[in-house]
Every structure is written in C-alpha cells, then in structure tokens.
Amino acid sequence: MKLALASLLASSASAFGPSTSPPSAHARKPLRGFWKLNPQTKEEALTFASGIASAITDSTPDVDVALFVPYVFIESTMSVVGGKLSVGAEGVVPHSSGAYTGGISTSMIKSVGVDWVLAGHSERREIFGETDYYINAQCLKILDEGMSVMLCIGESLAEFEADLAGSVCATQLKKGLKGVRKEDLDRVAIAYEPVWAIGTGEVATPEIAQSVHAKCRDILAGMYDQETANMIRILYGGSVTPDSIDDLMAMPDIDGALVGGASLDIKNFGMNWVKS
C-alpha cells in the first residue's frame, strides 16, 4: 500500500506547475491524489501529508484534493492536513462484517471520517485477484455508505498492442458501475491507468489517453445519458511526471491525473502546482 495522493487535476491547473492548458470543456471540477505501499513509517506519512497541505493556500486553483493513505495512517493524516484536503482509503472489502480476516469495511473507514475510496486498481486486480464482480460490489458498498469512489480501469501491454484498450476499458467500466444509480454518479470518478505505464516510466501519449477517455465518456453516455457523462471526472494515471502533465491536461476529456510515485516528491507535486 502506498500512501496514495490521487490527483484529479484541472485542465487549467497543472499539478506540477503553471499550465497553459485551456479550461475543461464541461467545467468538471478537478480532484487530486495517490501514494501506494509508501511511506514506511507514520512520521514519514505525516511529513508528506503536512507538506502537501501546507502548499494549499488561498491562491491555490479551485480543485478537490484527496490523499489516499494506508489504513494505519488515516486518522493521523487527517490530524495534520487541517481540512485542506480529503483523506481517502486505498480499498475496502464489500462486506459489513463476518469472517473476513484482515478486511476493512466501509463502515469502519467512514467512522474515522473517510470521504473517498479507491476500487479496481490494476495492482488489486492482478496481485490480489479482485474481479470485476468483486470491484462492482466494492463500488456499490462505498456509495451505499455515502462515500465517494474512484474506479480504476486500464489495459495490459498485450491488450494495448492488440488494439483492445477501448474494449477492455469499456468492459471494466460497464461491469464496475453495474447497478450504480444515476443520482449517485456525482460521487464517482474514473481513473484510466494503462497497466503498461504504471511505474514503468512509460506514459500514454496525450492522443492515446484522450481517445480512451473519450471512449469511456461515450460508454457512460450510453449507460446513462450525455449530460451525466459530461459531468463525470475521468483522470489519467501511469507514470505521470512534471514533464508529461501539461500535454495530458490539454486534452478535452482528461480531467486530471492520478499521480503515484511523483506525489511523494513534495517539491514537484506539493509545492509547484499551487503557484499556477
């Protein structure tokens, strides 16, 4: 688990510095965040969190910020961010109670003040064997508890090379949101993370990412309606860095970036974007 600062960044404000990108076509309010199995101690977690929180000032662009942290750091992280950002969890089990040793329920994390929860991250799918059915159950449980969910989708390298990115993401999107009511979609964000780009240094070109984001928005329009699809925020994630962020954010259907390792660099992630 990384202390994940999952960032949904506005097209008009780079997470890493001043942006030349145009405003979002549908004025979707940005959201920021992501960590993972980092940092290793409570002290490190609080240093990172307080550094990011201190970078949020009155001149910061109007964005939502969510820091997804390992369970053991949730309450202490909340204590140092001073309400400047939301503190989210990296996952839950879709059960309220029972014989699920090691599991964390939605009621548990809600009771300590969690607003956002991740679901469907590729590492959870691949390493822990979480299926689309299981991820859908997580999404429904999170929403039923009154919290917000960030549903992660994305294709493998083999699927990308076979030109299956669109169809894979469409399947994960449809199955992940099965049974989710239209009126609950204001508490849903989508994160497109091509698996082949996560932690590899490889980044989908802005054009590739835009094409998948547009496909996802079309799928959402078919599942619900165009107005609803236009409202839902879709992030890009996968080795996002200060060098790649602006070109990605310039795309009309990319509403933000789910930042992993780079969010642990307070200078690049925390300090520079507030100047934009």
Side-chain angles (χ1 to χ4, degrees):
M1 291 175 291
K2 289 182 186 172
L3 186 49
L5 180 61
S7 241
L8 183 59
L9 310 174
S11 301
S12 60
S14 166
F16 300 97
S19 172
T20 57
S21 305
S24 168
H26 303 289
R28 293 177 288 267
K29 187 179 180 182
L31 162 71
R32 306 181 183 233
F34 202 58
W35 282 359
K36 290 192 183 177
L37 187 57
N38 294 307
Q40 299 304 304
T41 68
K42 175 181 176 181
E43 289 71 24
E44 290 176 333
L46 298 186
T47 297
F48 284 127
S50 60
I52 292 165
S54 66
I56 302 174
T57 68
D58 291 341
S59 61
T60 300
D62 185 22
V63 299
D64 291 331
V65 183
L67 187 62
F68 293 82
V69 309
Y71 304 117
V72 294
F73 299 145
I74 287 175
E75 289 189 275
S76 54
T77 298
M78 287 180 175
S79 72
V80 300
V81 299
K84 289 186 174 182
L85 51 84
S86 295
V87 176
E90 296 182 339
V92 293
V93 296
H95 310 286
S96 298
S97 61
Y100 303 100
T101 302
I104 302 292
S105 71
T106 54
S107 59
M108 290 176 183
I109 58 172
K110 183 179 181 181
S111 72
V112 297
V114 166
D115 298 316
W116 280 88
V117 186
L118 292 178
H121 193 279
S122 63
E123 291 156 7
R124 300 297 307 182
R125 294 176 187 266
E126 292 188 4
I127 300 172
F128 297 95
E130 294 185 359
T131 64
D132 287 320
Y133 174 83
Y134 188 86
I135 292 162
N136 174 242
Q138 289 175 315
C139 291
L140 294 173
K141 194 69 174 174
I142 292 164
L143 293 170
D144 185 59
E145 199 70 52
M147 295 181 290
S148 298
V149 61
M150 188 174 295
L151 172 63
C152 303
I153 61 175
E155 80 284 356
S156 67
L157 178 60
E159 291 164 338
F160 173 73
E161 291 178 338
D163 198 26
L164 294 174
S167 59
V168 169
C169 290
T171 297
Q172 293 177 346
L173 193 57
K174 289 178 179 178
K175 290 185 176 181
L177 294 180
K178 184 177 180 181
V180 173
R181 300 173 301 176
K182 176 180 173 179
E183 55 265 35
D184 289 331
L185 290 172
D186 61 345
R187 292 185 287 116
V188 173
I190 306 299
Y192 167 56
E193 294 193 292
V195 179
W196 49 270
I198 298 175
T200 64
E202 297 293 331
V203 182
T205 66
E207 293 75 19
I208 290 173
Q210 164 60 24
S211 69
V212 178
H213 280 230
K215 173 67 173 178
C216 290
R217 209 171 297 284
D218 286 343
I219 294 297
L220 290 167
M223 294 173 66
Y224 300 98
D225 56 56
Q226 191 63 57
E227 182 179 2
T228 299
N230 289 345
M231 172 270 296
I232 296 175
R233 300 178 290 186
I234 306 177
L235 307 74
Y236 170 79
S239 298
V240 179
T241 68
D243 294 329
S244 63
I245 189 72
D246 280 333
D247 288 341
L248 288 164
M249 293 306 100
M251 298 294 104
D253 285 294
I254 299 179
D255 305 313
L258 187 63
V259 183
S263 69
L264 292 168
D265 185 336
I266 297 175
K267 180 180 178 181
N268 274 333
F269 189 87
M271 300 307 293
N272 290 341
W273 61 260
V274 300
K275 299 175 183 177
S276 56

